[in-house]
Amino acid sequence: MELLRIATAGSVDDGKSTLIGRLLYDSKSIFEDQLKSIEEVSEARGDEHTNLALLTDGLRAEREQGITIDVAHRYFSTPKRKMIIADTPGHVQYTRNMVTGASTANLAIVLVDARKGVLEQSRRHAFIASLLRIPHLVIAVNKMDLVDYDEEIFEKIRAEFTDFAMRLESHDLTFIPMSALNGDNVVDRSENMPWYQGTTLLHHLEEVHIAGDKNMLDVRFPVQYVIRPQSTELHDYRGYAGTVAGGVMKPGDEVMVLPSGFTSTIASIDTAEGELEEAFPPQAVTVRLTDDIDISRGDMICRPNNQPHTGQDIEAMVCWMSESSKLIPRQRLALKHTTNSVRAMVQDVRYRLDINTLHREEEINELALNEIGRVSLRTTQPLLFDEYRRNRTTGSFILIDEATNVTVGAGMIMGES
């Protein structure tokens, strides 16, 4: 069964947590004791309705303020598809939480309050979704019940957002008018909006085509671990374990190992359940080769005529996540890329991006908490990478403070500098 990863985003109090709660409730994906618990909490708080947002807002500070702070993940499934929903915060000071929560998503739901229209936060989150190369974007115009289900208001928001989206690289854009509180167009079609002939949210989540989102052309297999059982039964077994980051691998395929450049042929692709006839992203497998080659963690298996870039100088968009420091030129950090760890130095901060206006602030040469900018880095060892637009796995990395071992930045590779 296919797995769909979803991220929700939007301005503060647009109803993201309520929408997820409604989705879980109407699709019968919550247990009776969970429902009873939030009913009791809602009654104790004096809420008029059962507050479905409590299903995701688990922190005490979140419940007291009625906002989302941390990224909450909820898992549910329908007969057609398994889904993981990341409920990301709306506040600007939690931009880093949204970046991490949405980094692996196939689809993003950006909520817009029908009363307020398209706000800066709405644009910000749509841009971040575009920056993260999330292929599918749903604009959920929520709280239509508070504007009397007015079609003109919905069409005005759709026109305004479509105009803004023209500046982004979002190719699949869907608009759905809804009321998460009342359940209009979430799981069931709304009788209050007969003028809307489109899909409900759940139907769209079940039917959206995601098979073509993965890069099935460029074979990329970062080696994570070398398996040598050293047992009598498997005396000569040597396998290379990892997660397929791109392409389709089959026994008999000719492959090259980087950075050594040696070539070999795939003998078999093994899993705990047995051998596979083929492997593709994001399967975790063990690959055996016909030749004994010196391969270790951080090496990459690819095709001889289709290799990733190799280089020490990279250009990247970086989201800075540290509260205690800033990203500045000449700074030294640890860099984790696929299964490889190296040291890196910041050569230059090209510009800071104003994610409200998409304006480049080129006079700025540092990045503070939650800021995003283009950065030039030089690593101590060559990286085996692709551009992020081509492969989200081999085109991304994290930056780590070597003194504290805290992750301080997340980067998307734009190319070589």
Side-chain angles (χ1 to χ4, degrees), residues 230-409:
Q230 302 290 347
S231 65
T232 305
E233 183 183 354
L234 299 168
H235 184 71
D236 295 321
Y237 189 94
R238 181 192 294 267
Y240 308 103
T243 300
V244 183
V248 179
M249 305 173 70
K250 298 178 181 179
D253 286 350
E254 185 183 6
V255 293
M256 175 180 280
V257 180
L258 296 177
S260 66
F262 288 112
T263 58
S264 184
T265 303
I266 297 177
S268 69
I269 300 173
D270 303 332
T271 68
E273 287 74 34
E275 292 189 16
L276 298 179
E277 293 183 1
E278 63 178 18
F280 48 85
Q283 288 179 308
V285 298
T286 299
V287 175
R288 288 197 307 116
L289 303 180
T290 56
D291 302 282
D292 287 334
I293 301 176
D294 182 15
I295 301 175
S296 59
R297 178 184 175 90
D299 291 354
M300 184 176 291
I301 297 174
C302 62
R303 290 274 170 79
N305 298 322
N306 185 345
Q307 302 175 30
H309 298 289
T310 302
Q312 293 178 259
D313 296 297
I314 59 173
E315 292 278 327
M317 296 297 295
V318 172
C319 175
W320 192 245
M321 300 177 174
S322 174
E323 298 179 6
S324 58
S325 65
K326 293 183 179 181
L327 178 71
I328 56 175
R330 312 299 295 176
Q331 188 173 4
R332 288 174 171 80
L333 299 159
L335 187 150
K336 176 83 166 56
H337 171 259
T338 61
T339 57
N340 201 7
S341 297
V342 299
R343 299 183 70 201
M345 184 179 73
V346 180
Q347 289 188 305
D348 188 24
V349 178
R350 306 286 193 196
Y351 58 81
R352 183 177 68 190
L353 198 63
D354 185 331
I355 53 181
N356 297 321
T357 63
L358 307 187
H359 177 67
R360 298 178 180 182
E361 300 174 336
E362 297 184 356
E363 69 281 1
I364 303 295
N365 65 347
E366 63 181 23
L367 295 180
L369 175 64
N370 291 318
E371 292 181 342
I372 297 174
R374 182 155 179 156
V375 176
S376 174
L377 298 167
R378 182 172 180 81
T379 59
T380 53
Q381 298 173 14
L383 295 182
L384 305 168
F385 65 90
D386 296 284
E387 292 182 6
Y388 186 79
R389 67 171 62 239
R390 190 166 182 87
N391 190 310
R392 291 169 72 183
T393 301
T394 58
S396 60
F397 61 85
I398 60 172
L399 297 171
I400 301 167
D401 186 320
E402 292 183 294
T404 62
N405 209 31
V406 171
T407 300
V408 291

Side-chain angles (χ1 to χ4, degrees), residues 153-169:
I153 291 177
F154 171 71
E155 292 297 339
K156 181 181 177 183
I157 291 172
R158 172 154 54 182
E160 185 178 352
F161 207 102
T162 301
D163 182 59
F164 173 74
M166 295 289 285
R167 300 156 62 189
L168 307 177
E169 294 189 36

Side-chain angles (χ1 to χ4, degrees), residues 16-19 21-22 38 50-58 87:
K16 296 181 295 298
S17 301
T18 302
L19 174 62
R22 172 61 66 183
I38 64 169
T50 299
N51 190 350
L52 296 173
L54 298 177
L55 282 168
T56 57
D57 288 341
D87 183 19

Side-chain angles (χ1 to χ4, degrees), residues 214-220 246-248 281 303 306 390:
K214 302 183 184 75
N215 184 331
M216 307 298 270
L217 299 174
D218 308 321
V219 171
R220 302 288 184 264
V248 179
R303 290 274 170 79
N306 185 345
R390 190 166 182 87

Side-chain angles (χ1 to χ4, degrees), residues 12-50:
V12 178
D13 202 30
D14 275 349
K16 296 181 295 298
S17 301
T18 302
L19 174 62
I20 295 174
R22 172 61 66 183
L23 201 56
L24 297 172
Y25 178 72
D26 283 2
S27 62
K28 298 178 174 56
S29 299
I30 59 174
F31 296 110
E32 288 185 11
D33 58 337
Q34 288 178 298
L35 180 60
K36 185 177 179 181
S37 173
I38 64 169
E39 284 175 344
E40 290 173 352
V41 173
S42 299
E43 186 177 347
R45 287 165 37 130
D47 295 337
E48 291 183 9
H49 306 276
T50 299

